Amino acid sequence: MPRFFFWMAEVMSKKIDAELVKKVAKLSRLELTETEVAEFANQLSAILDYVEKMEQLDTTDVQPLAHCLPISNCLRDDCAKPSLGTEKILENAPDTDGDFFKVPKILD
Amino acid sequence: MENLEYKIIVGLEIHVQLLTKSKMFCSCAISFGERANSRVCPVCVGMPGSLPVMNKKAVELSALAGMALNCKIAKFTKWDRKSYYYPDLPKNYQISQYDLPLAAAGFIEIPLENGQTKTIRITRAHLEEDAGKNLHTTGNFSQVDLNRAGTPLLEIVTEPDLSSAAEVRSLAVELQRIVRYLGVSEADMQKGHMRFEPNVNLHITKDGKEYKTPIAEIKNLNSFRAIERSVDYEVQRQLDEFSRTGITMETGNKTTRGWDDDAGKTVLQREKEEANDYRYFPDPDLVPVEFTDSWLAEIRAGLCEMPIKRQLRFVNEYDLSDYDAGVLTAERTTADFFEEAVKSGGQSKRVCNLLTQVGLKMANEANCSAAELGITAENLAKLAKMADGGQISATAAKTIMEKMTQTADEPKVIAEQLNLIQKNDTAELEVIVEKILAENAKAVEDVKSGGKKSKAAKGFLLGQVMQKTKGRANPKVVAEILERKL
Amino acid sequence: MDCNCKKLRDDIAAGRIKSAEAVEAVFDTIEKNDSKIGSYISTFKEQAIANSKQLDEKISTGKSAGILAGTPIAIKDNMCTTFGATSCASKMLENFHAPYNATVVEKLISAGAIIIGKTNMDEFAMGSSTENSALLKTVNPWNTQCVPGGSSGGSAAAVAAGMCSAALGSDTGGSIRQPASFCGVVGLKPTYGRVSRFGLVAFGSSLDQIGPITQNVTDAALMMNVIAGHDPADSTSVDEKTAPVCDCLEKIDEPIGNLKIAVVPQFNTGADGDVQKAINEAIEVYKKMGAEIVEIDMPHLEYSVAVYYIVATAEASGNLARYDGVHYGHRAEDIENYIDVYCKSRAAGFGKEVKRRIMLGTYALSSGYYDAYYLKALKVRNLIRGDFLRAFEKCDCVLIPTCPTTAFKFGEKMDDPLKMYLSDVYTIAANLAGVPAISIPCGFDGNDLPIGLQLMAPAFGEDKLLRIARMFESKTDWHKRRPPII
Ligand SMILES: [Zn+2]
């Protein structure tokens, strides 16, 4: 097979292309360089190819299992306790304005 | 502009802040107006390693509200994370309920202007945590206050069954009454305890074809008046827009519009080109909620007669006007207080008048409910009886009731202390009347001459008697005597 | 000085050794060797010595000093402490100072442990070699050309090199057991829900567990006695009624009669020759002690890696959303608007593997892909758990290698994330099924690198699991070998 077809095959098997990587990066609030975009497109596609082996299993009648715990209703009584306080909570803040966290102007 | 035939379609998304002492998933106290970022802890700031633990009361209040809204309460419900990035959302996901809401498939009955009621279907009601607040400064930055972050909210979604601004308002008022009745929420709209977001659009018929205008979601409504005005405005705006552009749901996008109360109009905030991808998934930090029958029964015991039913019953059972019944049933404690006083022997209309004309005014001034004025239902009944029996005048009843808020003395004792017992003794009053008649020959003549002056003169003589008795004579009795003597 | 936990504790409690001496000796070793090994991100020498002196005083007055009485303990740098930073080996949290202690830290302190430092790890516990630390390089004490394993590589290396008596690690897909195996020490991942996660910086919340890394099985049992138990601050920690905490130490030296051990044909191939040989020899050791070896089919285990890299990354994408440069953590400098705060701070604060996993998890949860990836993974997870439930009907524990290979060289798998992920193939299943699993030394390969034997038991069966592990340890000397570096 000529080299061209190898290349085609590779492109066509890709689960995730650069555009999708960029979309997911936007959802994830991650600024990626073009190099990273290309790298992630390849790596994530390879991982997803592997992950798709799950499809071999018939799970029609299987319940999804989000947790292995035998418990429910972990409840707390409605009692108020002292909070941390403004000073303590702002100690780790990258930027503050008085008693507030500070961020560049939020535009709706 | 052409005259279009149209139907108004409104569904509501409602957020009700639950009346708990502490937040939904941490022990910080519920905050209103405290120093910024003072009611926060690692959990509600979403600090690394912190974990949420459910507030039992919030779960119970939600189930109770669900029951009152005739919903099915899920036996098994769970928590999901709703992901979006915003500075007032510290974890950048909100803990909410997605596919298994706590309550679903209910309805609420709302009163209509014509005296009938309408049933509005409730799609679902689920529990979630509130976000903090972003404050926009005049500078080139914003401030973030997380005091509100993590406050428990019940989100109620209705079907688009509402077809006028008045209906939307009516539902809002009714829901406020219900949640206050149950102690589910303080439901103060100004404080943001109840936030209504109407989704409005129109079904327009033109040339035999139906057109649906794009849905607009209205935000920033913090009074009942604003709700009604904003929907009215939006209907007109959408009509205009359709006439001008012909844009429909298929060709236009759903928008979010903010209500500007001063300008009296809605302003475009955001146009949703694609649905937000919230990436809901089960929150692995929390375990499911399972309602056992006994727990549900325990919660159900907190239910009571719903205000709309109670209002109707008050009209029928106590022979009150719809208006008075509405005033009395607006608050559960007032309605309870009223019924207790009636049970203690007070005549219903008299008790109603005392409460609506005197009690509620005082309560309003004292910033409490009428039941919290310090007057017992028994004493209120006794007061009503005295007024009914003519032992005191209506004015005296008001004075006595005011005094009753300060002392535990019975109304009779107060009336005696203040010398407010009416003179009903005919013999005694006759003597006084004779004396007045003798002193006012001119007026007596006017009465006897009949005609226009007669009525005024009668009134004058009655007034003289009342003055002489310092207002303690029973005016009914005096009038009778006067009639006889003249 | 032999610094293993139980012996040192007994010596200190009996007054044979002073805690301060032990702590100082450990710091001598750290100062001598850690520049080569790189176990610790931070150490607290002054505080540790001061605390140990206080304890010595307490002991000298005859007071009980707790069951870890003065022993020097290390914790992984993803557990919150009010002293020092809690960095998760990330630039994002390099300067983050937690305002609270993790529950396990509180428990260690009240048991008399002296916390001497916080150990290196893969950034946010994402990795299998500790090469993903943004702050420090840790080498394998047995061969400095090789990785210590990960993500709790710093803890495992510190224990192997005698730079603490015992350490805590966290295990989401093998992060305690795999480095324990690579470094020739004992590592226990408890049942999900047995140890509080409060204060553990989350990676995959439904999989994460804190557990001990120790020089021997007895020490692991001792550590479990300290850290296990219900925590009301962690909704996923199991209450006493559902699963009472057992004393793991009490019967640690009592062998279990009629022991039935399962081997899994699916995992009989795939491991390196030396590893497989060591495992087979271990099976023989158990046979000699009278254990019955049964072969059990666990057909879904081979899907573990696939399921894991969807479930863990999906949860991680949510858990790591909070690191946004708004409320704490790294904020990028070249910010123009508030969206930049997110995108640029996260781009600069996170390393490549963290970004890769956030991307993968976000993708798996995003609309259009949720069912095919995330939901499917949860269903297969249920099948994997079913394999374990069925297996434990027929045996006391399952025996497989901890890893298919011994410690690999630096850089060997860094270019191919999938290859790195596949090295977790034996450890992941226990996390998905929530069952306890332990890795104990069982031999060395041709390059004198340690090999680990993994035993997995039914949920909440830590006491029995530790006894089974102790049976092997009591008949072998592998755990007594120390790396050449010390
Ligand atoms: Zn809080």
Side-chain angles (χ1 to χ4, degrees):
Chain A
M1 220 191 295
R3 283 181 68 99
F4 175 72
F5 285 103
F6 275 115
W7 179 78
M8 277 298 286
E10 198 198 342
V11 169
M12 285 171 72
S13 82
K14 244 190 201 172
K15 294 265 149 16
I16 299 195
D17 59 13
E19 201 186 323
L20 190 48
V21 168
K22 283 177 186 169
K23 197 187 137 197
V24 175
K26 198 178 158 197
L27 274 179
S28 310
R29 295 290 186 276
L30 284 170
E31 189 179 87
L32 299 182
T33 62
E34 284 301 323
T35 326
E36 282 175 316
V37 169
E39 198 178 286
F40 281 164
N42 283 327
Q43 291 171 342
L44 296 181
S45 294
I47 294 164
L48 290 171
D49 272 337
Y50 174 78
V51 162
E52 273 175 17
K53 76 187 265 156
M54 293 190 303
E55 278 175 20
Q56 297 161 2
L57 294 171
D58 178 7
T59 51
T60 323
D61 298 321
V62 182
Q63 285 297 309
L65 179 77
H67 241 290
C68 297
L69 285 171
I71 54 172
S72 59
N73 297 356
C74 180
L75 299 154
R76 170 179 67 78
D77 283 335
D78 181 31
C79 296
K81 288 181 189 161
S83 299
L84 263 189
T86 309
E87 283 81 11
K88 195 84 194 147
I89 216 76
L90 294 179
E91 252 170 34
N92 279 292
D95 201 3
T96 56
D97 180 47
D99 291 343
F100 297 92
F101 297 97
K102 186 177 173 186
V103 288
K105 198 166 194 69
I106 298 162
L107 306 162
D108 275 313
Chain B
M1 199 182 77
E2 56 191 323
N3 248 335
L4 292 169
E5 202 180 297
Y6 64 91
K7 269 192 303 193
I8 302 169
I9 313 286
V10 187
L12 284 173
E13 235 176 71
I14 309 151
H15 288 92
V16 178
Q17 180 178 321
L18 299 175
L19 185 49
T20 56
K21 291 191 196 81
S22 63
K23 291 186 180 181
M24 184 64 233
F25 295 113
C26 66
S27 302
C28 288
I30 299 297
S31 142
F32 186 80
E34 282 78 17
R35 181 182 173 192
N37 293 304
S38 63
R39 293 277 174 95
V40 288
C41 72
V43 177
C44 56
V45 175
M47 281 208 169
S50 67
L51 292 170
V53 183
M54 286 180 261
N55 182 334
K56 187 178 182 194
K57 182 86 181 286
V59 173
E60 292 181 336
L61 290 179
S62 303
L64 184 62
M67 288 170 182
L69 296 173
N70 308 292
C71 292
K72 290 190 182 67
I73 307 300
K75 287 261 164 178
F76 178 96
T77 174
K78 66 176 176 72
W79 300 97
D80 300 285
R81 293 181 180 178
K82 177 184 181 179
S83 298
Y84 64 93
Y85 284 81
Y86 213 48
D88 64 6
L89 187 69
K91 302 185 293 293
N92 288 316
Y93 62 80
Q94 179 191 30
I95 304 177
S96 182
Q97 301 189 299
Y98 182 51
D99 54 343
L100 296 173
L102 197 139
F107 62 87
I108 178 173
E109 273 185 82
I110 60 164
L112 300 180
E113 279 157 330
N114 63 11
Q116 302 198 307
T117 62
K118 181 172 175 179
T119 301
I120 308 297
R121 290 171 296 159
I122 305 285
T123 318
R124 57 182 282 160
H126 72 253
L127 190 47
E128 61 186 28
E129 55 174 349
D130 205 349
K133 276 181 185 161
N134 296 325
L135 296 117
H136 309 288
T137 65
T138 47
N140 60 348
F141 62 93
S142 298
Q143 301 169 321
V144 184
D145 174 12
L146 296 180
N147 278 351
R148 200 181 66 181
T151 302
L153 288 184
L154 184 67
E155 180 178 321
I156 302 167
V157 182
T158 79
E159 294 289 316
D161 290 346
L162 296 149
S163 45
S164 73
E167 283 183 20
V168 177
R169 183 197 175 115
S170 175
L171 186 144
V173 173
E174 192 57 28
L175 184 69
Q176 184 189 55
R177 238 179 3 166
I178 292 174
V179 294
R180 283 185 173 169
Y181 254 57
L182 297 171
V184 160
S185 174
E186 282 182 54
D188 187 333
M189 284 190 70
Q190 250 89 49
K191 289 185 180 171
H193 294 157
M194 265 206 322
R195 289 167 244 161
F196 291 87
E197 287 165 15
N199 278 257
V200 183
N201 82 329
L202 306 175
H203 290 187
I204 300 171
T205 312
K206 189 184 171 191
D207 308 327
K209 263 181 81 182
E210 193 181 65
Y211 299 88
K212 296 176 179 173
T213 57
I215 295 173
E217 181 177 311
I218 313 173
K219 289 185 187 280
N220 307 339
L221 302 172
N222 45 26
S223 70
F224 292 128
R225 204 171 103 85
I227 292 175
E228 191 166 4
R229 283 173 76 207
S230 72
V231 174
D232 273 334
Y233 174 87
E234 192 53 30
V235 167
Q236 213 47 52
R237 191 196 64 78
Q238 292 191 15
L239 267 181
D240 289 351
E241 189 181 74
F242 178 77
S243 304
R244 254 190 3 247
T245 64
I247 288 176
T248 65
M249 212 177 221
E250 289 74 28
T251 54
N253 294 319
K254 189 183 167 178
T255 55
T256 304
R257 304 183 68 89
W259 173 248
D260 181 338
D261 207 53
D262 295 329
K265 60 183 191 180
T266 64
V267 183
L268 181 69
Q269 285 185 334
R270 197 164 52 231
E271 197 158 344
K272 291 178 185 168
E273 300 202 0
E274 49 188 311
N276 276 321
D277 193 342
Y278 290 123
R279 286 159 286 140
Y280 282 100
F281 76 103
D283 191 330
D285 286 335
L286 288 159
V287 294
V289 181
E290 286 184 87
F291 286 106
T292 59
D293 290 337
S294 61
W295 191 16
L296 283 177
E298 220 174 278
I299 296 168
R300 198 174 291 279
L303 277 181
C304 60
E305 186 181 22
M306 285 297 103
I308 193 167
K309 292 241 167 68
R310 200 171 198 184
Q311 183 176 350
L312 193 67
R313 182 168 64 79
F314 275 23
V315 170
N316 296 328
E317 199 174 320
Y318 301 120
D319 196 23
L320 303 177
S321 72
D322 190 52
Y323 178 81
D324 280 342
V327 173
L328 285 180
T329 54
E331 273 182 85
R332 185 178 175 181
T333 52
T334 310
D336 287 347
F337 189 46
F338 166 79
E339 290 211 271
E340 235 180 288
V342 172
K343 234 179 255 162
S344 307
Q347 198 271 333
S348 60
K349 276 189 173 164
R350 180 70 68 179
V351 174
C352 169
N353 286 344
L354 286 172
L355 268 177
T356 54
Q357 285 159 26
V358 189
L360 288 174
K361 195 163 161 270
M362 286 193 291
N364 201 25
E365 279 161 13
N367 203 10
C368 67
S369 84
E372 292 166 339
L373 285 168
I375 303 173
T376 65
E378 290 77 28
N379 279 344
L380 180 61
K382 280 178 188 159
L383 181 67
K385 270 194 243 174
M386 284 172 74
D388 255 4
Q391 285 158 280
I392 49 170
S393 69
T395 333
K398 179 170 178 263
T399 313
I400 296 167
M401 194 158 162
E402 278 163 6
K403 192 80 188 168
M404 281 162 78
T405 62
Q406 295 150 26
T407 160
D409 289 344
E410 290 203 3
K412 185 148 182 264
V413 176
I414 299 170
E416 276 162 0
Q417 277 168 359
L418 299 178
N419 226 350
L420 290 173
I421 301 288
Q422 286 195 141
K423 287 188 187 302
N424 291 318
D425 185 335
T426 318
E428 194 188 330
L429 284 173
E430 265 185 46
V431 176
I432 297 168
V433 172
E434 290 283 3
K435 208 173 164 212
I436 293 292
L437 291 181
E439 283 168 10
N440 296 282
K442 173 84 175 59
V444 174
E445 218 166 279
D446 282 349
V447 175
K448 283 182 176 162
S449 68
K452 272 190 182 173
K453 282 184 179 171
S454 165
K455 210 176 172 192
K458 253 191 220 169
F460 171 76
L461 290 169
L462 181 68
Q464 289 296 305
V465 178
M466 294 308 287
Q467 208 175 21
K468 193 103 192 164
T469 59
K470 297 196 175 95
R472 280 151 50 211
N474 185 337
K476 250 188 183 168
V477 179
V478 176
E480 263 172 41
I481 299 171
L482 272 173
E483 201 66 39
R484 235 183 314 121
K485 299 269 173 195
L486 294 165
Chain C
M1 184 184 66
D2 187 353
C3 71
N4 88 48
C5 210
K6 169 93 170 14
K7 184 165 180 304
L8 185 58
R9 176 206 70 173
D10 291 345
D11 286 346
I12 292 171
R16 288 189 288 271
I17 297 177
K18 288 221 176 302
S19 168
E21 288 166 22
V23 170
E24 274 171 33
V26 160
F27 273 105
D28 286 346
T29 313
I30 292 171
E31 276 150 25
K32 196 173 121 225
N33 289 329
D34 206 40
S35 54
K36 280 172 274 176
I37 294 174
S39 293
Y40 287 98
I41 290 177
S42 52
T43 50
F44 315 110
K45 188 175 178 182
E46 255 173 60
Q47 174 188 306
I49 291 173
N51 288 346
S52 63
K53 281 184 175 158
Q54 257 180 18
L55 255 150
D56 284 333
E57 227 158 87
K58 212 169 161 189
I59 293 164
S60 68
T61 59
K63 286 189 195 126
S64 161
I67 61 173
L68 283 177
T71 52
I73 305 290
I75 56 177
K76 188 175 177 178
D77 206 20
N78 61 351
M79 295 170 211
C80 288
T81 50
T82 53
F83 44 92
T86 299
S87 76
C88 292
S90 177
K91 284 211 159 57
M92 185 59 89
L93 292 179
E94 199 175 353
N95 298 309
F96 174 71
H97 291 262
Y100 70 102
N101 279 330
T103 300
V104 287
V105 173
E106 290 290 338
K107 286 192 172 204
L108 283 176
I109 292 170
S110 44
I114 306 296
I115 294 170
I116 55 167
K118 299 183 82 174
T119 56
N120 198 23
M121 55 188 279
D122 284 300
E123 183 179 7
F124 284 103
M126 296 178 177
S128 311
S129 66
T130 311
E131 288 167 285
N132 293 327
S133 169
L135 306 180
L136 186 69
K137 179 180 177 179
T138 305
V139 302
N140 193 314
W142 294 90
N143 181 339
T144 56
Q145 304 295 304
C146 292
V147 301
S151 64
S152 312
S155 286
V159 173
M163 295 190 290
C164 61
S165 281
L168 290 184
S170 69
D171 190 317
T172 308
S175 283
I176 287 174
R177 292 158 286 158
Q178 188 253 26
S181 163
F182 280 13
C183 293
V185 292
V186 172
L188 171 69
K189 181 206 88 77
T191 310
Y192 185 81
R194 180 78 297 170
V195 178
S196 169
R197 294 188 296 117
F198 189 75
L200 169 69
V201 180
F203 159 20
S205 311
S206 79
L207 306 157
D208 296 341
Q209 268 294 287
I210 293 171
I213 296 177
T214 55
Q215 290 184 3
N216 58 51
V217 174
T218 307
D219 283 358
L222 175 62
M223 290 291 279
M224 276 308 287
N225 278 3
V226 175
I227 62 171
H230 177 60
D231 178 8
D234 174 6
S235 308
T236 63
S237 100
V238 173
D239 55 289
E240 274 291 304
K241 227 166 93 192
T242 307
V245 174
C246 304
D247 186 337
C248 291
L249 202 53
E250 197 186 6
K251 296 179 178 167
I252 190 70
D253 289 315
E254 277 181 38
I256 290 182
N258 300 320
L259 181 62
K260 260 193 196 173
I261 296 176
V263 293
V264 186
Q266 279 87 354
F267 282 170
N268 258 347
T269 54
D272 277 3
D274 286 346
V275 172
Q276 197 56 58
K277 194 166 149 263
I279 297 298
N280 291 342
E281 283 166 13
I283 292 171
E284 289 308 314
V285 172
Y286 275 114
K287 271 189 189 162
K288 269 191 203 139
M289 284 186 280
E292 185 190 340
I293 307 296
V294 291
E295 222 177 65
I296 286 179
D297 207 29
M298 297 178 82
H300 302 103
L301 290 202
E302 64 168 299
Y303 298 93
S304 300
V305 175
V307 172
Y308 176 80
Y309 278 94
I310 295 299
V311 173
T313 59
E315 292 181 2
S317 74
N319 287 333
L320 272 68
R322 68 191 67 195
Y323 307 111
D324 60 4
V326 174
H327 310 104
Y328 49 80
H330 178 79
R331 182 186 287 193
E333 307 238 306
D334 50 336
I335 299 282
E336 279 173 19
N337 54 54
Y338 90 96
I339 302 285
D340 274 0
V341 175
Y342 298 135
C343 298
K344 288 187 196 286
S345 300
R346 288 163 66 78
F350 291 142
K352 212 161 239 179
E353 182 59 28
V354 173
K355 287 181 198 170
R356 190 154 39 226
R357 294 199 192 190
I358 290 173
M359 293 283 291
L360 183 57
T362 303
Y363 174 77
L365 290 174
S366 63
S367 98
Y369 305 101
Y370 181 92
D371 287 2
Y373 293 106
Y374 183 70
L375 193 64
K376 180 79 182 181
L378 292 190
K379 289 178 174 182
V380 180
R381 183 177 183 183
N382 207 354
L383 294 175
I384 292 168
R385 181 160 176 260
D387 277 1
F388 278 97
L389 293 179
R390 268 191 308 280
F392 291 135
E393 284 169 11
K394 296 182 209 133
C395 68
D396 298 298
C397 73
V398 173
L399 184 158
I400 57 174
T402 306
C403 306
T405 67
T406 53
F408 45 85
K409 294 228 159 56
F410 282 96
E412 208 178 296
K413 300 186 180 184
M414 281 304 269
D415 296 334
D416 187 349
L418 183 57
K419 205 162 146 196
M420 186 76 94
Y421 296 174
L422 288 170
S423 69
D424 300 336
V425 62
Y426 294 142
T427 46
I428 279 171
N431 299 82
L432 292 173
V435 300
I438 193 169
S439 175
I440 54 176
C442 74
F444 287 82
D445 72 357
N447 299 317
D448 273 339
L449 286 168
I451 297 169
L453 165 73
Q454 186 180 203
L455 299 164
M456 302 185 272
F460 305 104
E462 280 83 359
D463 52 338
K464 215 168 157 190
L465 176 66
L466 283 158
R467 280 167 69 190
I468 298 169
R470 176 67 193 138
M471 283 167 72
F472 177 82
E473 192 185 70
S474 68
K475 299 285 176 208
T476 55
D477 283 333
W478 305 116
H479 65 285
K480 288 182 183 157
R481 285 223 215 159
R482 294 275 71 93
I485 195 158
I486 51 170

